[in-house]
Amino acid sequence: MTGDFEASYGAAPQASAQAPGRVNLLGEHTDYNDGYVLPIAITQQTRVAMRRNGGSHFALHAQELDQAVRFTLEQPPAEHFASYVYGCLKLAGEQGAPVPPLDIHVASDVPMGVGLSSSAALEVATLRCLRQLLDLQLDDVAIAQLAQRAEIEFAGVRCGIMDQMASSLAGTDKALLLDTRSLERRLVALPEGSAVLVLDSGIARSLAASGYNERRSQCEQAAQLLGVKSLRDVDDLRRLDALPDLLRRRARHVLTENSRVLAAVDCGSAQDFGLLMDASHASLRDDYEVSTPGLDLLVELLQAQDAVFGARLTGAGFGGACVALCQTDALRDVAAAVLHEYRQAGGEGRQLVPPLVALGG
Ligand code: GLA
């Protein structure tokens, strides 16, 4: 990383930090309804390095995208990837210390655009780096909250707080049970003998931003019609009968998904955990309508494997990745068999977690 920064800017960085992507095991589209989520960090990380450049402009180089951008805080960059970094710089500037023009280098092996939170990893790594460089008094929760604001205010996605909390606070060996209303959280071990497998469906998430914001508005509408602050406050499914059909189904997904998260952390068995994942997928497909035929196929192929306890789409949906809970010793064989069958059916998938390529230092 230091070498990469030096290659771009000809000097060593003054600060560097990293943050992981995440995969969500259960609790999809619940965070912006004040509900429960259960993500786990992945080993892939985004690394950010910085140095004061003494000039008038910020310089940003994103290694994997092979893009270099120059901007000032008054003149935001037009490039979408740079808006995440720009948002973090603007928000860090509100924390007291002015942010001086910097040379910034970003390197990442977090898969992009598949639902593994490459944007949260970029935001959290950027803010961690700024915390170090400018000695900002921010704890890890405050970092996650600023990162979420960067995404909403500067990248235009009205996301919840799950991804940024996961990137800032989760580890790779235990899942993070998070109450997104109180931010109370605890780490939860995966069921004995099980491990996480993530496969990319190869389907681009074309409707993700518009479909996501639309789902969020529908949940807000449903909460308003029910006279509650958020769907988290509805404790009886029967209350949903008062809603028009579409809103009733959206809200039913949210309520049942919250119950599934809470059931999963108490169930203790991989089989029961897996059944909850299967049910989550059905709910995302039928009630929330964020799946696609390709995701459904990949999930079905995963679920048909004896060594798979359960599988579902993960992240916002509309394409991207699927997650499965799998017998630890069968990961490799399951991935190979499912990807083979998926290819025969015309799909083009790949294994994302565990990563096939060993991480660079
Ligand atoms: C995206 C958002 C999260 C969450 C998920 C769906 O990843 O950034 O806040 O809403 O979608 O669960």
Side-chain angles (χ1 to χ4, degrees), residues 172-186:
T172 52
D173 55 343
K174 286 186 176 163
L176 180 76
L177 169 65
L178 174 70
D179 176 341
T180 61
R181 169 170 274 175
S182 64
L183 298 188
E184 258 174 61
R185 58 201 175 271
R186 72 180 159 96

Side-chain angles (χ1 to χ4, degrees), residues 22 24 27-32 37 115 117 119 148 151 157-164 205 212 312 315-317:
R22 67 94 188 96
N24 191 21
E28 217 66 85
H29 292 279
T30 49
D31 61 351
Y32 50 82
V37 293
S117 293
S119 60
Q148 182 199 19
E151 180 116 8
V157 179
R158 294 180 63 217
C159 65
I161 189 109
M162 165 171 70
D163 304 346
Q164 292 78 12
R205 298 187 307 161
Y212 184 89
R312 54 184 287 277

Side-chain angles (χ1 to χ4, degrees), residues 88 92 122-132 143 146-147:
C88 293
L122 175 57
E123 292 147 7
V124 171
T126 301
L127 287 164
R128 283 181 174 167
C129 199
L130 286 165
R131 171 169 68 184
Q132 201 188 105
I143 292 259
L146 280 185

Side-chain angles (χ1 to χ4, degrees), residues 136-349:
L136 300 175
Q137 299 306 302
L138 296 170
D139 64 15
D140 291 342
V141 171
I143 292 259
Q145 288 168 324
L146 280 185
Q148 182 199 19
R149 278 186 58 199
E151 180 116 8
I152 294 175
E153 293 170 27
F154 297 90
V157 179
R158 294 180 63 217
C159 65
I161 189 109
M162 165 171 70
D163 304 346
Q164 292 78 12
M165 284 292 282
S167 182
S168 189
L169 289 140
T172 52
D173 55 343
K174 286 186 176 163
L176 180 76
L177 169 65
L178 174 70
D179 176 341
T180 61
R181 169 170 274 175
S182 64
L183 298 188
E184 258 174 61
R185 58 201 175 271
R186 72 180 159 96
L187 295 174
V188 178
L190 292 180
E192 187 81 26
S194 71
V196 173
L197 174 68
V198 179
L199 301 180
D200 178 17
S201 67
I203 302 163
R205 298 187 307 161
S206 51
L207 276 173
S210 56
Y212 184 89
N213 288 340
E214 182 190 64
R215 294 299 180 286
R216 184 168 177 156
S217 305
Q218 290 166 342
C219 290
E220 287 164 357
Q221 243 180 296
Q224 203 183 3
L225 287 173
L226 294 169
V228 290
K229 183 166 173 287
S230 80
L231 290 178
R232 163 71 177 273
D233 300 311
V234 185
D235 44 17
D236 185 346
L237 274 172
R238 282 171 302 191
R239 283 188 69 189
L240 304 185
D241 291 344
L243 294 171
D245 181 60
L246 181 83
L247 297 186
R248 188 176 56 81
R249 287 187 293 116
R250 301 293 188 253
R252 184 168 62 188
H253 166 72
V254 174
L255 265 68
T256 57
E257 187 76 351
N258 278 329
S259 307
R260 282 185 284 271
V261 174
L262 296 178
V265 296
D266 281 338
C267 75
S269 100
Q271 281 78 8
D272 289 349
F273 196 116
L275 289 175
L276 292 162
M277 292 174 79
D278 294 348
S280 169
H281 185 79
S283 178
L284 288 161
R285 182 191 59 211
D286 302 335
D287 276 352
Y288 220 62
E289 296 180 286
V290 293
S291 191
T292 70
L295 286 174
D296 292 342
L297 171 64
L298 188 54
V299 164
E300 277 161 30
L301 294 175
L302 282 161
Q303 289 170 345
Q305 293 285 318
D306 287 342
V308 167
F309 300 113
R312 54 184 287 277
L313 70 82
T314 188
F318 303 100
C322 298
V323 60
L325 193 71
C326 186
Q327 275 173 29
T328 310
D329 53 11
L331 278 178
R332 193 183 292 255
D333 291 348
V334 165
V338 169
L339 289 173
H340 176 71
E341 290 173 27
Y342 188 61
R343 198 165 303 125
Q344 282 190 323
E348 202 45 67

